[in-house]
Amino acid sequence: MQKGLLLVISGPSGCGKGTVLKEVMKKQNLYYSISMTTRQPREGEVDGVHYHFVSKEQFETLIAQNGVLEHAEYCGNYYGTPREAVETMRNEGKDVILEIEVVGAAQVRENCPDAVSIFIAPPSIAELKRRLYGRGTESEETIQERIAQVDRELPCAVQYDYLVINDEVESAAEEILQIIAAERIRHRNKEEKVKEVLES
């Protein structure tokens, strides 16, 4: 059985990556990796659905045992990707999506050289501002922080295998589906396939 792909998806807040990924997952059976955290669940959050909630001790044990693909600490809490669930799904031939920020993505690329990384970017800073203001859910200060984050994150796009511009959701999703199809062919076990052809 061919091992599933590991797809690392990043992009600045407001670029619409969540919407694009929902569209992709409507058309492809992909496993969306659930992050792990040591913070307390917020109201309405369900363990194993929104996050895997664990203690700081459990998380630190996993770090020591190389049990996380990437991790970071924010506001005194750990966040990261459990290795076991990702590896299990990939070994079953399922393609796995990790939606993570650029620092975590760099760690995954180091830990999993066969990972396929895709950076989703807005068509322009002006369009990003329009989308952020259009949400009407964030303060001016938060919007300015998001725009500053884009200035920091966008230069990292050159380190990714692919850059997808989210000008229009359907076309961006289609581009990602084409990447997945091409990468499945590229990662095909050539020796196994040659053997099958020779024996048929």
Side-chain angles (χ1 to χ4, degrees), residues 85-129:
V86 170
E87 289 301 329
T88 299
M89 287 296 160
R90 293 190 69 199
N91 288 334
E92 287 174 10
K94 293 182 180 130
D95 298 329
V96 178
I97 282 187
L98 297 186
E99 186 188 341
I100 51 177
E101 41 66 57
V102 293
V103 176
Q107 289 180 43
V108 174
R109 284 198 301 272
E110 198 172 307
N111 287 323
C112 303
D114 67 338
V116 178
S117 56
I118 304 169
F119 192 96
I120 300 177
S124 66
I125 298 296
E127 175 59 19
L128 180 74
K129 284 181 183 174

Side-chain angles (χ1 to χ4, degrees), residues 1 39 47 53 55 64 80 108 157 160 173-174 183 185-186 197:
M1 182 192 290
R39 77 159 169 76
D47 184 38
F53 295 100
S55 70
V108 174
Y160 285 66
E174 188 53 43
E183 287 292 334
I185 293 167
R186 193 168 75 87
V197 172

Side-chain angles (χ1 to χ4, degrees), residues 4-20:
L5 299 173
L6 177 58
L7 302 156
V8 178
I9 315 280
S10 303
S13 178
C15 74
K17 64 183 175 294
T19 312
V20 170

Side-chain angles (χ1 to χ4, degrees), residues 64-92:
Q65 294 171 346
N66 198 25
V68 285
L69 288 175
E70 56 81 30
H71 72 280
E73 196 173 348
Y74 297 106
C75 304
N77 289 303
Y78 287 120
Y79 293 82
T81 302
R83 183 186 289 273
E84 189 180 358
V86 170
E87 289 301 329
T88 299
M89 287 296 160
R90 293 190 69 199
N91 288 334
E92 287 174 10

